[in-house]
Amino acid sequence: MENRKIRMGMIGGGKDAFIGAVHRIAANIDGQVEFCCGALSINPETAKESGTMLFLPEDRTYLNYEEMIVQESKLPADKRIDFVTIVTPNFAHFAPAMMALDHGFNVVIEKPITLSLDEAKQLQQKVKETGLTLCLTHTYSGYPMVKQARHMVAAGELGAIRKIMVEYPQGWLSTLTEREGNAGAAWRTDPTKSGKSGAMGDIGTHAAQLAEYISGLKITKLCADLNIVVPGRGLDDDGNMLLKFDNGANGVLVASQIAAGEENALKIRVYGEKGGLEWHQMEPNTLIVKWLNEPAQVYRAGQPYLSDIAKHNTRVPGGHPEGYLEAFANIYRNFVLTLRTKLQGGTPTEAMLDFPNVEDGVRGMAFIENAVASSQSDQKWFDFKI
Amino acid sequence: MENRKIRMGMIGGGKDAFIGAVHRIAANIDGQVEFCCGALSINPETAKESGTMLFLPEDRTYLNYEEMIVQESKLPADKRIDFVTIVTPNFAHFAPAMMALDHGFNVVIEKPITLSLDEAKQLQQKVKETGLTLCLTHTYSGYPMVKQARHMVAAGELGAIRKIMVEYPQGWLSTLTEREGNAGAAWRTDPTKSGKSGAMGDIGTHAAQLAEYISGLKITKLCADLNIVVPGRGLDDDGNMLLKFDNGANGVLVASQIAAGEENALKIRVYGEKGGLEWHQMEPNTLIVKWLNEPAQVYRAGQPYLSDIAKHNTRVPGGHPEGYLEAFANIYRNFVLTLRTKLQGGTPTEAMLDFPNVEDGVRGMAFIENAVASSQSDQKWFDFKI
Amino acid sequence: MENRKIRMGMIGGGKDAFIGAVHRIAANIDGQVEFCCGALSINPETAKESGTMLFLPEDRTYLNYEEMIVQESKLPADKRIDFVTIVTPNFAHFAPAMMALDHGFNVVIEKPITLSLDEAKQLQQKVKETGLTLCLTHTYSGYPMVKQARHMVAAGELGAIRKIMVEYPQGWLSTLTEREGNAGAAWRTDPTKSGKSGAMGDIGTHAAQLAEYISGLKITKLCADLNIVVPGRGLDDDGNMLLKFDNGANGVLVASQIAAGEENALKIRVYGEKGGLEWHQMEPNTLIVKWLNEPAQVYRAGQPYLSDIAKHNTRVPGGHPEGYLEAFANIYRNFVLTLRTKLQGGTPTEAMLDFPNVEDGVRGMAFIENAVASSQSDQKWFDFKI
Amino acid sequence: MENRKIRMGMIGGGKDAFIGAVHRIAANIDGQVEFCCGALSINPETAKESGTMLFLPEDRTYLNYEEMIVQESKLPADKRIDFVTIVTPNFAHFAPAMMALDHGFNVVIEKPITLSLDEAKQLQQKVKETGLTLCLTHTYSGYPMVKQARHMVAAGELGAIRKIMVEYPQGWLSTLTEREGNAGAAWRTDPTKSGKSGAMGDIGTHAAQLAEYISGLKITKLCADLNIVVPGRGLDDDGNMLLKFDNGANGVLVASQIAAGEENALKIRVYGEKGGLEWHQMEPNTLIVKWLNEPAQVYRAGQPYLSDIAKHNTRVPGGHPEGYLEAFANIYRNFVLTLRTKLQGGTPTEAMLDFPNVEDGVRGMAFIENAVASSQSDQKWFDFKI
């Protein structure tokens, strides 16, 4: 492979789309990715205008993803994109992802991976068959202090894990904003576009993935209470859950979009025999480590005493705050390192492969389906089935 | 009634007892209470030594509560105590409280009020019959910013309440400290002395009382998961709970004594249609008030913009932190104001009566019994029965 | 000495006086002090009403301090007070203190000790001559985490101290509140009652005392800029200062009463060769300890890992916040322990003697006079003269 | 002008250079800049390797800046860079900046702008003559909440400003790390490479620029105490300063690199007649706004209630933390918007021109020279001379 950037095409993410812009920034930051083409909107005008704004060549500004995948696959190897990024609403993830894999393109997908567990399993099968790489952007596992937390748990510093408290309160759906022109709210609260669950699918999945990522444990049982709090809404906007993990630890998970006044207050606490960890997404460069009978410690991003994996996912020294976009960029960076290594015929290291993948996607869809089933049941504990 | 202090006798609380000392400080702070006599320990030596240390006269240093109640009731009105404070372990609350009421003494009891719901109901009946006053020291409702929170909810500033998250993590029972000479741990983990529940009875009741106190709502359903996390322990040391309140709001309650590294981290968040409240016991002079689409506000104890009820329960201006002992003292102060008013033939105001009473005690015992029953059941939701 | 409480009389501190009430609470908390008599106001009506409210006997409710000191000195030893507490405005400290010492009474004085350095030196001489004990209530050195900080510095945990940043911003004099009926503001901004300095005398002295107390160093040079920020005010309401300490360390001190929106935000940071300490008065149970190349630590009041001196000045376990009143009470407790030991013919320990005394008072007055002189001078550095 | 990215060449910033990487990330984030060429190191091997790592074409990987400027100026307009970014140590800013301007290139320079005030004035003159744009990367004024603070002060929300406290403590020079292979420390503590001042030049200039940027005021007098705390060091590693501003406000500025345990703890507080502002660089998405007699407010980045200028400098909604790199990128974005507008023949708006420029550079050098002169003088107050 010549010395070059990795080439990206984007599906969805036209002007005014929040998450598409985030993916582009995340891909840009480290100067490792070249943004080559896009099918940026199903509205042709928007697609073209977006392409111009983003300096895409006209002949690679496509009007739909099918055209993009077909045309790109015909380009010579020294021009053709290496991967597609899919940033459409949930219902429009599966088809382009399958088609991209079928045409030999690696894939990045915004979470949740698909509209249903069944689709997720099909994607999993396709990834296996093609040997290509699929990356799922569960952003929060990209933060360096989350990786430090995972490292400390895995190293046994806390002893066996006993309890996990994870919460993700937001307040932006406290009113029926989906009827007041908020496009993001509109599709997220529409079952045909969002899937079986609202809040639990949109942000509860992040919380569950984070809990499993840091603890190294798997949820085995859950007892869910999903609620439609704002009258007239089509999907749950709030939910609480009791959890059991595969080592016997217990947990609580809260995901709410009607917690009025909250921004994006994802927080996790993990308690083991010897101590506990606490991490807040909104102040992400700090990891509080608590000990039995010793002063708590304040671990900070960018410091020399951190683990290699935390350092690998940091760009600037301690005291220079990194944030959400850098966490997102870490996922891209590791995905791109993996791709480059594979393109060069090498084997990616564990640090390179440290990004959410199709297995996380399948687990996330199972989480949603189990949560919805549990919430509708009179039975207390529900096995986590995949 | 002549101009004098209100007179107190104490049952339990000999030297080295944590909570007895706290009650004495709470009674002392405002200079309204005279500590006159005590049956401070079932150990006669300890009782006498404690009496000496506390400057009690020898003839009012009793060796058991029966003697104290009988002797004090024979004293002339201008010497006799006005109330007894009971600070023994849970199992030794009921009998002295009944006897004190029967002999015409008002009562302060450390929570939980009794060993069982049935005992609590008997006490409730006795209070009703005697017309005397019983005060239950649910400390945390004594904090001024908790009262401010209750005031703001009652005034409708948040709109209808939709969600309550309350948690009380401690770490001090992360090991089998009850077998290493920790007396407080020993009786708290012994069902014969503590009652049907450990952590949920000891601190979960505080969390539930706080949630109901601030919100003005009542728990109507719960789904509990109580756990014995440390092997070999006799009672639950950890628990999680889903809640429903009488206006349809949902909630989550966590009480744990195995959250390694946590001190006494009681925290509550209450969300309404228009905004949310957040209060931490460990930084109690701050109440964070969050709004939809407006900056959050930081309400601070001692400030002129607070409600009358918050001001009534504060001693010093803003920026001079008050704490746990002052919150405790507020309960005593209001109880004593009520007593003085009744002794003078008056009617206590609402602000005077703002302390936990026998009804809170009954509700607390019902909470424990419902939680234990729910935890043992396969049924998801359990009605809150009294 | 028989087994009894230590007896206190109070000069000043009638109803509505802020600091008098604080002194009474501080004396009450631990049940070691009996409040026996007072000359509570120069207004006879107020003096009598205050005496009644505070349950003083009529014959020990005096109308002026001279009467109180004379009458009390004639009482038999088993009734006579042990000490007087002087809580009048600054200008009325010196005369009653001298008279009390002359009549054999120990003394507690609210800071600043006198109106001038010269008076302070006379008091110092009188204390020396009489062998009595004088306690100056520099409250902030009473906090347990301040004592922990002092302990850690003295033990060399930070290495040699290099830099101290201390600040005390308040906002309550941001307007001419002294002309709007605020009595506390009125005398504090009146040179005849407050002395040569306003903000620097009222709160700057606390900041300087705290810096010297924690660091164990002495200020040797200063360069002060005192300001009257609010037009029409009679004394400085704001000031900044560069400092040099006796080991060569440098420092900055800020004291302001026009920092609009600040409450009582005293904060200190001390940096040594190996690490730094940070303490905030408004969250006083936390001491942040920072290290070169290691995670910072969060020391918390009431924890077993603290020094003996910190534990000696704490009443409740970690997580049960103590505050301003308890810090104040620590000063009283240590003073009373000292008195009791001396009354019993013993020698007070270092822990008992750990309260500000007449030497601190002299140093505080010298600080004020040096600061005022420096501020008026064109010379950069000013030696700290006593 | 055709629809294209703005083209950048870089001088300095080879592999392992901290600030060069930061500039590239800042330029990359928004996808508006194409990194075309570089003279990345004075070491030819490093220059070539860095060029390869960064995917530069071989023929635009230059071995020195003179070659780069000459060669690029000969390229046709549709290939030639639009601006150079200079990220060498301080002493190597002036010559390439002058040469770039002389050849028609716009310039970005890392601060401080030059080695001396005189050089800065020459650059100022050159910018004026050429009509080109020079951008100085005082990063901290790029944060959205800093812009919000400036907006609120300018709008008079705080009333007239009375006091500014700004501090910038770091701990990384607590030991002689410049002798242990730390290249960044080595040149920063070497007067021939860094200039007349160490800490005050490196970070004190940031603090001063931030104070003036937010307040809209100018420093008119200062009284400085610069210190070499670590024995053997060649330049000040610590300093404190009293300030006066042009409206009569007073201030304190602290800049230290020996505050052991501190990371990059830049913090500013600004007090006016009606309220105060507080901002911490390490938690940059929060601006605390304090009011007289009203609760403080917590303004948060990304919220709808912010000013237009704060929104213009934000990429993601509230609760998704942005950090240092995004603040840096805001400076680049505004610079590039200005360039694009000028290239299109338009007039940049105030929002576009909101980046530090050559005037800030001149003021920064004057600040350094005045601080050094004041520190060496016995005179208390020193006029701020340019």
Side-chain angles (χ1 to χ4, degrees), chain A residues 237-259:
Chain A
D237 47 21
D238 174 88
N240 307 314
M241 213 180 277
L242 307 178
L243 300 173
K244 298 287 183 187
F245 291 88
D246 54 359
N247 76 336
N250 72 74
V252 181
L253 183 153
V254 174
S256 181
Q257 296 178 315
I258 57 85

Side-chain angles (χ1 to χ4, degrees), chain D residues 192-259:
Chain D
T192 65
K193 294 185 177 156
S194 188
K196 289 184 182 173
S197 168
M200 202 49 76
D202 193 27
I203 60 175
T205 48
H206 276 308
Q209 195 264 348
L210 189 66
E212 294 193 346
Y213 181 75
I214 289 180
S215 68
L217 302 176
K218 298 291 177 197
I219 299 169
T220 52
K221 288 179 192 290
L222 53 79
C223 170
D225 176 31
L226 307 192
N227 303 296
I228 295 176
V229 172
V230 179
R233 182 155 287 156
L235 280 173
D236 59 284
D237 47 20
D238 174 88
N240 307 313
M241 212 181 280
L242 307 178
L243 301 173
K244 298 286 183 188
F245 291 87
D246 53 359
N247 76 335
N250 71 74
V252 182
L253 183 152
V254 175
S256 181
Q257 296 178 315
I258 58 83

